Amino acid sequence: MNVEQAYKDANALLEGHFLLASGNHSNRYLQSAKVLEYPKKASLLTDALADMIRDAGIEVDTVCAPALGGVLAGYELARSLDVRSIFVEKKEGGMELRRGFEVSPGEKIIICEDIITTGGSALKAAKAIEALGGEVVAFASLANRGFCKRVGGNDTSKPECALPTDVLLFALDDFSFEMYTPETCPMCKEGSTAVKPGSKG
Ligand code: ZN
């Protein structure tokens, strides 16, 4: 599975001058919602992810995604693993389970995101699940931005990674892009203005 090509084919790997949520600038941006536009193509991605998880011998009862960004990836991964799919939603400072979703004590749960950047949302989802007695057996995402170490990746975990080092992260590929502060951004120096891609536009 060539994940970078799948993103390019879906016009989900944007090139330009982007303002990231962190305030930094980059010349590339992953718009994962685009790579999930076609359910049959999305299921090819999550089938590959499910194979990695099975090959590692991880037992999973349920996939839990942090809303909104992780919901489609989580739902498709649950289909690929043939397990239950739930999601948690933002509340003040964290995440919580709503809508009548329940977690049983000891239930083996994998937290699934579309993209893991530093893993902040995934960690909040994991804490919500653990508070209900669930066991977080792994993290998973389609793309890993290179701050956290994934199974099969070469890089080590960077200080920015929020995920616990004793729980495995499965991702299809690493996407480590150049990032600049606004002061050092070469595209700003050339006079262009960074645009915010993300969920707002
Ligand atoms: Zn810039």
Side-chain angles (χ1 to χ4, degrees):
M1 162 77 43
N2 186 333
V3 182
E4 185 169 333
Q5 194 60 49
Y7 271 78
K8 282 181 177 164
D9 291 347
N11 292 321
L13 177 52
L14 310 182
E15 302 201 353
H17 182 191
F18 302 110
L19 172 61
L20 308 178
S22 61
N24 292 318
H25 294 191
S26 180
N27 62 348
R28 299 176 96 195
Y29 186 83
L30 289 176
Q31 185 60 278
S32 274
K34 291 277 288 176
V35 89
L36 298 168
E37 271 185 334
Y38 293 94
K40 286 201 171 161
K41 287 184 187 166
S43 69
L44 295 179
L45 294 169
T46 53
D47 282 352
L49 195 54
D51 285 344
M52 295 171 78
I53 294 162
R54 283 198 203 95
D55 288 350
I58 306 285
E59 278 183 45
V60 182
D61 296 318
T62 299
V63 176
C64 177
L68 182 69
V71 169
L72 294 175
Y75 192 84
E76 285 299 330
L77 180 61
R79 190 204 307 268
S80 296
L81 289 168
D82 192 20
V83 299
R84 194 164 78 95
S85 174
I86 60 175
F87 57 87
V88 288
E89 295 169 76
K90 278 195 182 117
K91 68 159 189 185
E92 194 68 41
M95 295 270 184
E96 67 181 358
L97 207 58
R98 295 181 193 152
R99 300 170 196 265
F101 286 143
E102 289 175 356
V103 168
S104 306
E107 188 171 347
K108 294 177 173 24
I109 300 189
I110 191 161
I111 306 292
C112 181
E113 267 281 25
D114 53 351
I115 304 177
I116 293 285
T117 305
T118 60
S121 296
L123 181 67
K124 285 177 184 170
K127 288 193 166 152
I129 290 300
E130 284 169 349
L132 295 168
E135 183 191 348
V136 174
V137 293
F139 294 93
S141 67
L142 302 177
N144 178 33
R145 287 282 281 97
F147 293 101
C148 297
K149 176 165 174 50
R150 71 179 173 99
V151 173
N154 296 321
D155 293 336
T156 52
S157 186
K158 307 249 184 334
E160 292 90 340
C161 181
L163 298 181
T165 51
D166 59 343
V167 182
L168 295 177
L169 166 63
F170 295 89
L172 294 172
D173 208 350
D174 293 318
F175 289 83
S176 304
F177 302 156
E178 299 288 334
M179 274 201 296
Y180 313 97
T181 63
E183 295 74 32
T184 61
C185 175
M187 294 166 288
C188 283
K189 287 206 173 81
E190 287 170 9
S192 82
T193 304
V195 296
K196 204 170 182 178
S199 53
K200 308 285 194 292

